Amino acid sequence: MRANKSFINKELESNFKNRKIIVKWFDNLQEVKSYFLSQIPTEATIGIGNSQTLKLMKLVEAFLDRGNTVYDKTLGSTLEEIKALKRKALLTDYYISSANAISEDGRIVNIDHSGNRVAAITYGPEKVFLVISKNKITATYDEALNRARNIAAPLNAKRAKMSPPCVEAGKCVDCISPERVCNIISTIEGQYIEGRLTVLIVDEEVGF
Ligand code: SF4
């Protein structure tokens, strides 16, 4: 956690604090990975939200190598396995995910296809960590929603090899498609339990 001072946004930090959300600042993903490996016990159960950022960190591999029980839907090879992994991740000691956007007033926006990720972030796991690269910080809440629908959703759909109209259009066209990837749009406004949710902001531009 040696984030350079110019990167740290004190106003954003203060706005999150008022909403009972902890903020930590990191220079790069490697530091975030080291933080997790030092903070989370080897006997803990860990749920993982599908995220390009976490994949880049090879975090799941590191947890599995040292003996943690990890529920990551991308480890499943059949629909039944994937469904079971999603359900088990809902009651873990720790849940780690990313988010699609955060606004400077301290709101967190996520889009979700089936809802497992926003469900776990919202309630269930004892502690939740969201790894967020600096390109996902927006000045306003409206811009955060805009980012989630017009940037994150098309890219997530493409990654999942799905074809809602935004993949071709490069922006949301408010579809009602069977391939719709944003069936749930969630905004976290704050926390009931102080210390449950930590946002880890990274001074890198990764993920979507
Ligand atoms: S509503 Fe449809 S077009 Fe808009 S982001 Fe969602 S899936 Fe894409």
Side-chain angles (χ1 to χ4, degrees), residues 149 153-154 164-166 171-177 179-182:
R149 289 196 88 157
C166 53
K171 63 176 184 177
C172 176
V173 296
D174 203 13
C175 77
I176 306 289
S177 154
E179 299 261 297
R180 182 175 172 132
V181 291
C182 57

Side-chain angles (χ1 to χ4, degrees), residues 112-131:
D112 218 348
H113 181 226
S114 64
N116 63 295
R117 188 174 64 118
V118 297
I121 292 170
T122 308
Y123 191 85
E126 290 287 324
K127 294 238 181 248
V128 175
F129 293 104
L130 301 179
V131 182

Side-chain angles (χ1 to χ4, degrees), residues 7 19 31 36 38-39 55 82 107 136 179 189:
F7 162 61
R19 296 170 188 270
E31 283 181 8
F36 282 140
S38 67
Q39 296 294 309
K55 288 260 184 281
I82 292 166
R107 292 173 165 136
K136 296 182 178 179
E179 299 261 297
E189 298 270 357

Side-chain angles (χ1 to χ4, degrees), residues 48-204:
I48 300 286
N50 193 16
S51 153
Q52 175 84 354
T53 305
L54 301 186
K55 288 260 184 281
L56 285 171
M57 291 162 62
K58 298 197 182 306
L59 193 59
V60 169
E61 293 87 332
F63 282 136
L64 289 171
D65 281 351
R66 65 179 206 164
N68 282 108
T69 300
V70 180
Y71 301 119
D72 171 1
K73 75 165 192 176
T74 66
L75 298 174
S77 48
T78 65
L79 284 177
E80 279 309 306
E81 282 177 15
I82 292 166
K83 185 177 168 190
L85 286 163
K86 285 178 175 177
R87 287 167 60 85
K88 285 177 178 168
L90 294 173
L91 289 175
T92 47
D93 300 319
Y94 294 84
Y95 192 79
I96 304 173
S97 179
S98 184
N100 298 119
I102 57 173
S103 52
E104 285 195 6
D105 61 2
R107 292 173 165 136
I108 302 166
V109 176
N110 271 303
I111 51 166
D112 218 348
H113 181 226
S114 64
N116 63 295
R117 188 174 64 118
V118 297
I121 292 170
T122 308
Y123 191 85
E126 290 287 324
K127 294 238 181 248
V128 175
F129 293 104
L130 301 179
V131 182
I132 296 166
S133 55
K134 66 180 179 183
N135 51 312
K136 296 182 178 179
I137 302 172
T138 63
T140 66
Y141 174 55
D142 281 350
E143 286 175 45
L145 284 173
N146 180 61
R147 185 182 197 287
R149 289 196 88 157
N150 291 302
I151 297 176
L155 291 172
N156 274 314
K158 195 170 177 186
R159 177 183 62 169
K161 299 189 173 27
M162 300 182 78
S163 307
C166 53
V167 171
E168 179 116 11
K171 63 176 184 177
C172 176
V173 296
D174 203 13
C175 77
I176 306 289
S177 154
E179 299 261 297
R180 182 175 172 132
V181 291
C182 57
N183 290 310
I184 293 111
I185 299 182
S186 146
T187 300
I188 295 175
E189 298 270 357
Q191 287 293 285
Y192 169 54
I193 300 171
E194 190 142 23
R196 177 177 178 269
L197 177 59
T198 302
V199 171
L200 297 85
I201 304 179
V202 191
D203 191 8
E204 289 187 322

